[in-house]
Amino acid sequence: MSQSADSIRQAAVLLEALPYIQNFRGQTFLIKVGGSAMEEQSLVDSLLRDIVFLEAVGINPVLVHGGGKAINKAMKDAGLEARFVGGLRVTDDATISIVEETLARVINPIWWSASSPPVARPLAWLAPPSSAASA
């Protein structure tokens, strides 16, 4: 596709999106990003471009991430079976304990300290621990 044709296609997409942009300006979007999506760099790059665009047009994106794969593995390691009803994880006391531990120490280790409980931080997954970056 020529650069001119690509520019025309991009302009057409923006014109189509304009009523939605105007309607949702100032609103907050909660965006849940599954762990599988975070495994492919091209998907991460595309997602981040879209999030930057949302901010640029006045929409407030808030990202939360899943940890389903890591949680399922931790539950299996603990001898527990993950149970879902209607696509939602059933979280009894044993399960919630594993979920909290996994999200705090495996998914968000940079925000965990032994002396304090896990703390939610926006965009935590964008700032990997320095040890992970150098490995």
Side-chain angles (χ1 to χ4, degrees):
M1 182 180 294
S2 72
Q3 185 163 348
S4 175
D6 191 46
S7 295
I8 290 170
R9 184 189 61 78
Q10 289 176 347
V13 168
L14 287 173
L15 283 173
E16 183 179 341
L18 186 59
Y20 299 98
I21 292 168
Q22 292 170 326
N23 189 49
F24 291 107
R25 185 171 182 81
Q27 299 295 310
T28 298
F29 283 14
L30 179 64
I31 304 167
K32 190 257 186 189
V33 182
S36 296
M38 302 314 302
E39 293 174 359
E40 188 171 329
Q41 190 60 46
S42 65
L43 293 175
V44 173
D45 293 346
S46 179
L47 171 70
L48 294 178
R49 275 192 298 277
D50 290 346
I51 289 169
V52 168
F53 175 77
L54 288 173
E55 282 230 11
V57 299
I59 296 170
N60 307 305
V62 175
L63 296 179
V64 296
H65 58 76
K69 285 183 176 183
I71 292 166
N72 289 343
K73 180 184 180 312
M75 288 183 68
K76 184 176 180 180
D77 292 348
L80 298 173
E81 186 176 329
R83 193 167 65 101
F84 295 86
V85 174
L88 301 174
R89 183 183 305 276
V90 176
T91 51
D92 56 18
D93 288 342
T95 303
I96 198 68
S97 175
I98 289 173
V99 168
E100 289 172 345
E101 174 91 8
T102 302
L103 291 176
R105 293 186 186 232
V106 175
I107 303 299
N108 280 326
I110 192 168
W111 304 114
W112 174 262
S113 80
S115 63
S116 66
V119 177
R121 299 275 195 251
L123 304 178
W125 56 270
L126 291 177
S130 58
S131 61
S134 62

